[in-house]
């Protein structure tokens, strides 16, 4: 049974780099990994998506090792406004199943 | 601005009544989705539609129904058969129904059953 696992919560401080890892042991060749950010009482917002190796955009980086059984979202120099819940999603290409992680609550302290 | 509009933001209904949640998008996306989120929990897929006049059950479809008569609209009905309907409901869309298409979300409807 495919499953996506993330830490329940993490703490960090302003200005630090934060790495959140997602485990997805049953990932298949054509499955994509996507990360979303959610603030209270709002819908999730797309952060970054990747398939393999490394992807970087203006807000984050996504690292995917060769075996693709995990992925790491990296947030550089976080601020208080990065306090949110972060979700990892694996979209199965074979049967269009969407496997969401339970979310990681990230708290940034001053 | 393009986006997804969910209405109302808060909805209260008596037990045993059906209630319909609205979701409209002007992004010209083919695929649309409905999720349920309980306090402190992740997202669970209720229904999704990859194209007009077609939709598929997600992981927790029992007690819910949907229609997709227009590309821009994907209403969700919470029926009296849903035993615990109080939750935060999120609608999303993507350009088409493939895993490499990021989903765009509305800001949700919070449903409370009195």
């Amino acid at each position: 049974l495919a499953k996506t696992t993330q830490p329940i919560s993490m703490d960090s401080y302003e200005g630090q780099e934060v790495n959140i890892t997602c485990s997805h042991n049953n990932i298949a060749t054509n499955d994509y990994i996507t990360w979303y950010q959610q603030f209270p009482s709002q819908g999730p917002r797309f952060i970054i998506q990747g398939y393999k190796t490394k992807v970087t955009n203006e807000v984050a980086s996504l690292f995917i090792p060769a075996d693709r059984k995990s992925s790491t979202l990296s947030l550089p120099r976080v601020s208080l406004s990065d306090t949110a819940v972060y979700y990892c999603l694996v979209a199965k290409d074979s049967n269009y199943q969407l496997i969401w992680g339970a979310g990681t609550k990230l708290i940034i302290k001053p | 601005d393009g986006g997804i509009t969910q209405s109302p933001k808060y909805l209260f209904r008596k037990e045993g009544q059906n209630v319909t949640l609205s979701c409209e998008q002007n992004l010209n996306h083919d695929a649309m989705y409905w999720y349920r989120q309980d306090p402190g929990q992740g997202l669970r897929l209720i229904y999704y539609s990859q194209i007009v006049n077609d939709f598929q059950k997600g992981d927790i479809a029992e007690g819910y129904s949907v229609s997709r008569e227009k590309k821009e609209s994907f209403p969700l009905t919470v029926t009296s058969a849903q035993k615990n309907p109080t939750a935060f409901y999120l609608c999303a869309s993507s350009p088409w129904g493939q895993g490499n298409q990021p989903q765009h979300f509305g800001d949700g409807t919070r449903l409370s059953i009195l």
Side-chain angles (χ1 to χ4, degrees):
Chain A
L1 183 65
K3 191 173 179 182
T4 303
T5 305
Q6 325 174 214
I8 293 173
S9 64
M10 294 180 66
D11 290 355
S12 189
Y13 292 90
E14 281 191 294
Q16 299 294 306
E17 177 184 79
V18 171
N19 296 311
I20 306 174
T21 296
C22 180
S23 170
H24 27 77
N25 292 334
N26 206 26
I27 197 166
T29 304
N30 295 325
D31 298 345
Y32 273 79
I33 302 154
T34 310
W35 284 83
Y36 292 84
Q37 176 192 56
Q38 186 181 29
F39 297 111
S41 297
Q42 294 184 21
R45 186 179 68 178
F46 170 82
I47 302 173
I48 197 166
Q49 182 182 69
Y51 175 70
K52 60 181 179 180
T53 60
K54 177 183 175 183
V55 179
T56 297
N57 62 23
E58 61 276 10
V59 298
S61 294
L62 179 59
F63 298 93
I64 304 170
D67 66 6
R68 303 182 71 237
K69 292 186 177 182
S70 66
S71 59
T72 299
L73 172 70
S74 181
L75 304 172
R77 297 181 300 282
V78 293
S79 64
L80 295 176
S81 63
D82 292 316
T83 293
V85 179
Y86 292 82
Y87 289 98
C88 170
L89 166 66
V90 171
K92 304 291 289 179
D93 184 65
S94 59
N95 59 3
Y96 196 60
Q97 189 181 10
L98 299 171
I99 305 169
W100 289 84
T104 299
K105 185 172 185 178
L106 175 65
I107 298 174
I108 305 300
K109 303 173 183 177
Chain B
D1 268 22
I4 297 183
T5 301
Q6 291 189 242
S7 60
K9 193 168 180 67
Y10 299 94
L11 191 54
F12 299 90
R13 280 295 181 269
K14 292 182 179 179
E15 199 167 338
Q17 287 183 335
N18 291 356
V19 60
T20 297
L21 282 60
S22 170
C23 178
E24 303 279 330
Q25 55 102 354
N26 61 4
L27 299 166
N28 200 33
H29 287 174
D30 281 331
M32 296 187 75
Y33 314 79
W34 273 106
Y35 292 92
R36 171 180 172 139
Q37 188 172 38
D38 292 285
Q41 304 296 312
L43 284 75
R44 292 188 289 169
L45 183 65
I46 305 172
Y47 270 98
Y48 66 95
S49 167
Q50 297 191 55
I51 199 167
V52 174
N53 292 323
D54 185 57
F55 48 83
Q56 308 294 329
K57 292 182 179 179
D59 301 319
I60 56 165
E62 185 174 349
Y64 300 97
S65 66
V66 293
S67 63
R68 186 86 188 276
E69 297 177 1
K70 298 186 297 183
K71 187 174 185 177
E72 59 270 24
S73 179
F74 191 39
L76 172 74
T77 296
V78 184
T79 75
S80 56
Q82 170 49 238
K83 297 305 179 188
N84 184 20
T86 294
F88 189 48
Y89 290 88
L90 288 160
C91 179
S93 71
S94 63
W96 55 87
Q98 293 293 328
N100 62 345
Q101 299 299 309
Q103 295 180 37
H104 300 251
F105 284 82
D107 278 338
T109 292
R110 194 169 298 279
L111 175 63
S112 299
I113 301 299
L114 305 176

